[in-house]
Amino acid sequence: MASMISLLSLHSLLVLVLVQSTHSAIIPEPKNSIAEPKPDRPWSSDHTYIVQTNHLAKPSKFATLERWYASMVDTYSPRATTATDRILYTYGTVMHGFTVRLTDGEARRMSTVPGVTHVYKDRVYHTQTTRSPWFMGLHDDFGAWPDSEFGDGIIIGFIDTGIWPERASFNDTGLGPVRSTWRGNCVDAAGFNATLSCNNKLVGAKSFTTNMPDLEGYNDPSPRDIEGHGTHVSSTAAGAEVPWADLYGFSGGRASGVARNARIAMYKACVPDPLVGCPDSAVTAAIDAAVSDGVDLISLSLGGRPDDPFYNDPLAVATFGAVRRGVFVVLAGGNSGPGASSVSNVAPWMTTVGATTTDRVFPATLRLGNGVELTGQSLYTLKSKGTSMLQLVYSSCSEDDLTLDKVMGKVVVCTRMAGPGTGFYVEKAGGAGMVSPDGTNRFGDAVLALTFTLPGVMISHTAEKKLNDYMASSPYPVASFAFACETVTGENRAPMVAGFSSRGPSVLAPEILKPDLVAPGVNILAAWSGDAPPSSWDNDTRRVEFNILSGTSMACPHVAGAAALIKKVHGDWTPAMVRSALMTTAGPLDKNGRDMVDSGTVLGGAAMDATPLAAGAGLVLPRLAMDPGLVYDAGTQDYVDFLCTLNYTAKQMRQFAPEMSTGCGARSRIPGGVANVNYPSFVVVFRSSSADGGVRTLTRTVTKVSAKPETYNVTFAAPEGVAVTVTPTTLEFIRKNEKRSYTVEFSVQAQGKVRPAGTWDFGHISWENRKHRVRSPVAFNWQI
């Protein structure tokens, strides 16, 4: 998921968080970068496969799909065990098919069976708030919250690690019964009494982590969360109001989910094993169940695979099926920034979220022997105006390198990011403190605040360079710590795009701008599992009710909550309309009206503005998104045309649209390429290979969603040397739901600024009147 639990919840579960490994390599890895497939288990020649079928091709001799599936398994993969017992999951809502254990050879034979659309080898995803709703502009007495009744009745499905239902964030005081059309339920399991655990807030809880052969038959039928990630993200999006919440006194205050009256349905699809995480098969089954149960939207804080074609990605196929049925899906963009083209979950039917800071920090100071003070962040709990000066010593911070003779009585400076889990080993070796660099963030306001049990601080990349310079220049480098143990709000520049937040352009479809938008994802306080320590480290015996995590896993549920508020007021809107409202009203500026800064990028030591490749359309602002004026709508046919324009084969197209027996015709390909998908943002590529490489013309259609007649005039901004012509320049609307189209010609001027191939630059197009501003970011790329 995309949370960065204690280390940017650097682990690897559903949480685009960063967690810390429990193995000998103490350095945590991002729990939010769920993108990489894990190595196969060595003890078996069988693997789990998803067999996708075209249900329309079922032979008539089989009365049911299940009998057809059993016949396939018996014929092409005979075993002593019956086929019915071997089939792990069946899918029948967002896609059709089943999951079964096969050898590689059996999988190849299965892929040739008539009616089988595709066979996917099971892979793994990994998982990547007292102030953030208010930071996004939500108010109790006016605007989106009261207008939407705080999202009352909207049901959000979470595909995650489960839930800890006893937390105050899941109290249902004041909520009425769930709607009568809801088909979901809570499932009894050991340690999870459905009657006692579920209520009018938690209206569904199921587990898809039973009989998992890739984990030696791991079997956990309980939706209870033993990791913490699912509890955190669900309470961020839809947690009830809690009068007081804090972590060891930090971030104390009133807590609320973004849509505090929305209902929660938890679908547990992730297990606490770094080699298994969130398997494709379980995630697909969970999405299938959520849509069948009747959720309004799905929140997936899972990192995808940036370069995996959509036809080879069960998550892309399953979410396509969900959107086709009218379910809004929001996903974490990943924690692999600040490198270019690291963003995942980039299909145009997905809403993809990056992470920013808020205006809250937890400052701690490292005072060097030369008098320089470096400010970082820490959740260390012993207040001190200044410890004694202690020797600094470098370490790789692997367990083997943290020895008594090396670190006893010294402050360990880790050469890569490390968190509280590493701190336990530093303490064991007699270390007196630790310093961890956050190599992805250039500014201290954006680094992770971690629950160190010894004096410890996380510092930015910029501060790390100063520390390294000092240690290189001194024969006996020393430092002391100062911990105010306080929460400081409103004084730092915010929001900033977090350094870890994955960036565009998309590898698979660079002419679809991703991420779509950003939301708070750094040092977010939310509910936590009673089984998991705040550090997510096995040796940590501490237990807390709330925890502070970072990652795009944390940003994703903020947007899910905002979408729930919109769905409450605009129940007839399509998923694309909801996304458009969120994007075209998003804020590209910080709280003081300056351009948003990118903490992952600096030029010559100066802060750089966050481009749309990092921030998308900007920070989600739910109050404005409730009334966007105009929206860019799109539906199944638009997405089918998008895939056809990528030159997908007939067989590949049937994975998404089983009814397409003959594949794509000429009409299904978008004139001008995928950049002409009716998307709320633009990517303009000037190509030397085109007939007129210096000119691009794109078309969009907007739908009026406000009630009264309105006229909109266009404004735009473009880089030097690029001319923009919009036709028409005025759009007039009389009735709600009217549509108007416009074209934009972008042309490189003959005497304009010369840019090397591969250069990116940015601008925007806005349709405006006195009440509404419908703004779309524009990214320009030169391939001339």
Side-chain angles (χ1 to χ4, degrees):
M1 295 179 175
S3 68
M4 299 168 66
I5 282 187
S6 342
L7 228 193
L8 236 187
S9 274
L10 274 167
H11 239 4
S12 115
L13 245 171
L14 260 178
V15 358
L16 276 173
V17 213
L18 310 181
V19 183
Q20 301 154 1
S21 163
T22 56
H23 304 295
S24 59
I26 302 171
I27 308 297
E29 298 195 351
K31 218 176 185 176
N32 281 357
S33 39
I34 286 179
E36 300 302 323
K38 299 299 179 181
D40 296 320
R41 294 279 173 165
W43 54 74
S44 172
S45 61
D46 284 1
H47 305 286
T48 301
Y49 284 87
I50 299 173
V51 180
Q52 186 184 1
T53 63
N54 184 341
H55 63 291
L56 302 176
K58 177 182 72 66
S60 58
K61 65 180 180 179
F62 297 107
T64 65
L65 289 170
E66 288 72 18
R67 291 185 179 180
W68 181 31
Y69 299 159
S71 173
M72 286 188 213
V73 173
D74 282 338
T75 302
Y76 294 92
S77 177
R79 299 279 198 284
T81 308
T82 66
T84 302
D85 291 336
R86 290 180 57 208
I87 291 175
L88 304 174
Y89 306 110
T90 59
Y91 312 112
T93 303
V94 297
M95 61 185 278
H96 287 80
F98 58 95
T99 296
V100 66
R101 295 280 291 179
L102 303 170
T103 66
D104 292 344
E106 290 170 341
R108 285 192 293 271
R109 290 192 292 274
M110 189 75 76
S111 68
T112 66
V113 176
V116 171
T117 305
H118 197 71
V119 177
Y120 308 87
K121 194 171 187 177
D122 209 12
R123 293 170 300 185
V124 178
Y125 298 95
H126 295 281
T127 56
Q128 310 257 315
T129 126
T130 49
R131 188 167 179 81
S132 50
W134 290 270
F135 181 72
M136 289 159 47
L138 291 168
H139 297 273
D140 292 274
D141 300 324
F142 64 89
W145 264 352
D147 290 350
S148 66
E149 299 176 333
F150 301 88
D152 191 17
I154 299 300
I155 301 172
I156 307 176
F158 297 89
I159 316 298
D160 219 287
T161 62
I163 194 165
W164 194 269
E166 292 80 12
R167 290 298 181 235
S169 295
F170 309 123
N171 186 295
D172 68 346
T173 300
L175 296 180
V178 67
R179 61 177 181 246
S180 59
T181 56
W182 172 241
R183 296 179 293 276
N185 65 309
C186 292
V187 177
D188 272 313
F192 192 93
N193 184 307
T195 302
L196 298 178
S197 298
C198 293
N199 53 25
N200 290 329
K201 165 61 73 173
L202 179 58
V203 298
K206 300 177 180 179
S207 174
F208 297 86
T209 58
T210 59
N211 189 26
M212 304 186 85
D214 288 326
L215 191 54
E216 298 181 302
Y218 180 91
N219 187 44
D220 180 11
S222 172
R224 184 170 291 281
D225 183 10
I226 61 174
E227 290 285 297
H229 188 265
T231 300
H232 198 280
V233 299
S234 56
S235 63
T236 298
E241 183 176 9
V242 178
W244 182 265
D246 68 84
L247 174 63
Y248 301 130
F250 292 101
S251 191
R254 182 164 60 109
S256 172
V258 176
R260 69 174 71 146
N261 286 353
R263 315 308 168 91
I264 294 169
M266 177 58 68
Y267 300 86
K268 182 176 179 178
C270 302
V271 301
D273 183 288
L275 288 180
V276 176
C278 315
D280 277 325
S281 54
V283 171
T284 303
I287 295 172
D288 196 68
V291 176
S292 179
D293 287 345
V295 301
D296 296 295
L297 54 144
I298 295 175
S299 179
L300 292 121
S301 286
L302 303 178
R305 305 172 182 97
D307 57 353
D308 216 355
F310 301 125
Y311 62 78
N312 202 38
D313 182 3
L315 182 61
V317 176
T319 53
F320 182 97
V323 170
R324 190 173 190 176
R325 289 176 173 259
V327 177
F328 178 84
V329 292
V330 55
L331 299 97
N335 295 339
S336 299
S341 297
S342 53
V343 66
S344 62
N345 298 322
V346 297
W349 52 87
M350 299 172 171
T351 297
T352 310
V353 186
T356 71
T357 63
T358 68
D359 60 345
R360 178 180 62 197
V361 293
F362 310 95
T365 302
L366 183 71
R367 294 172 178 154
L368 307 182
N370 61 0
V372 172
E373 293 191 355
L374 305 177
T375 300
Q377 297 201 57
S378 179
L379 301 176
Y380 181 63
T381 57
L382 295 181
K383 191 171 183 177
S384 171
K385 292 184 178 180
T387 64
S388 58
M389 285 285 180
L390 297 169
Q391 184 181 357
L392 296 166
V393 60
Y394 282 120
S395 173
S396 67
C397 286
S398 65
E399 187 174 359
D400 292 342
D401 197 42
L402 293 170
T403 58
L404 289 170
D405 60 317
K406 181 173 183 176
V407 307
M408 174 68 77
K410 300 172 185 175
V411 173
V412 175
V413 178
C414 295
T415 53
R416 10 182 287 190
M417 183 184 285
T422 301
F424 291 117
Y425 289 92
V426 173
E427 286 186 280
K428 182 179 178 181
M434 66 179 288
V435 180
S436 174
D438 183 344
T440 65
N441 281 296
R442 271 53 179 176
F443 301 100
D445 295 347
V447 303
L448 312 183
L450 305 181
T451 54
F452 294 105
T453 55
L454 80 169
V457 62
M458 182 80 73
I459 59 174
S460 69
H461 178 66
T462 304
E464 179 192 13
K465 291 173 67 176
K466 295 179 180 179
L467 174 59
N468 290 339
D469 289 344
Y470 164 64
M471 292 182 68
S473 66
S474 173
Y476 190 83
V478 294
S480 67
F481 293 99
F483 299 101
C485 298
E486 62 183 359
T487 303
V488 177
T489 59
E491 296 184 9
N492 59 303
R493 184 168 184 173
M496 285 183 190
V497 176
F500 62 78
S501 188
S502 293
R503 269 53 170 187
S506 158
V507 174
L508 299 178
E511 290 178 278
I512 300 294
L513 184 61
K514 293 286 182 172
D516 292 310
L517 72 172
V518 289
V522 177
N523 298 331
I524 303 301
L525 181 81
W528 192 241
S529 166
D531 264 0
S535 66
S536 296
W537 195 260
D538 286 351
N539 294 338
D540 188 351
T541 59
R542 296 173 297 173
R543 295 295 182 267
V544 295
E545 293 194 11
F546 291 84
N547 201 7
I548 292 175
L549 303 184
S550 299
T552 54
S553 273
M554 280 61 259
C556 176
H558 282 89
V559 174
L565 302 179
I566 294 173
K567 287 291 290 183
K568 175 63 179 181
V569 176
H570 304 289
D572 59 341
W573 282 12
T574 66
M577 294 168 78
V578 175
R579 177 177 58 240
S580 176
L582 292 165
M583 290 178 63
T584 61
T585 59
L589 306 178
D590 69 16
K591 60 185 175 64
N592 293 319
R594 299 170 294 183
D595 289 330
M596 191 185 304
V597 166
D598 184 349
S599 182
T601 307
V602 292
L603 182 63
M608 290 186 67
D609 295 341
T611 74
L613 295 178
L619 181 75
V620 59
L621 298 173
R623 179 178 61 86
L624 298 178
M626 302 295 288
D627 180 21
L630 305 175
V631 295
Y632 295 83
D633 196 9
T636 299
Q637 189 59 52
D638 298 279
Y639 303 136
V640 166
D641 294 347
F642 162 80
L643 295 170
C644 285
T645 307
L646 294 180
N647 295 318
Y648 278 22
T649 66
K651 183 176 181 180
Q652 289 165 349
M653 289 304 302
R654 284 194 291 274
Q655 294 173 234
F656 300 88
E659 69 277 9
M660 292 186 66
S661 58
T662 59
C664 299
R667 290 185 180 180
S668 294
R669 290 180 172 83
I670 302 170
V674 298
N676 265 320
V677 171
N678 199 43
Y679 215 71
S681 56
F682 294 78
V683 177
V684 180
V685 180
F686 297 119
R687 303 180 190 277
S688 58
S689 59
S690 61
D692 191 353
V695 178
R696 287 287 281 140
T697 301
L698 301 180
T699 301
R700 292 291 189 271
T701 299
V702 290
T703 302
K704 178 180 181 293
V705 292
S706 55
K708 296 180 180 180
E710 284 189 299
T711 298
Y712 288 83
N713 296 307
V714 73
T715 65
F716 54 82
E720 178 187 350
V722 176
V724 179
T725 302
V726 183
T727 307
T729 58
T730 299
L731 299 176
E732 294 186 359
F733 300 87
I734 303 300
R735 291 174 297 277
K736 188 175 181 179
N737 296 323
E738 277 188 291
K739 297 180 183 293
R740 296 285 185 269
S741 297
Y742 66 93
T743 62
V744 189
E745 182 184 270
F746 304 93
S747 58
V748 176
Q749 300 302 284
Q751 305 302 318
K753 179 179 178 181
V754 177
R755 292 172 171 86
T759 298
W760 287 87
D761 213 332
F762 307 94
H764 68 264
I765 293 175
S766 295
W767 292 96
E768 302 177 6
N769 57 32
R770 291 184 176 181
K771 185 174 182 181
H772 296 111
R773 185 182 189 218
V774 186
R775 182 183 184 278
S776 295
V778 183
F780 299 87
N781 180 229
W782 277 261
Q783 296 295 334
I784 296 175

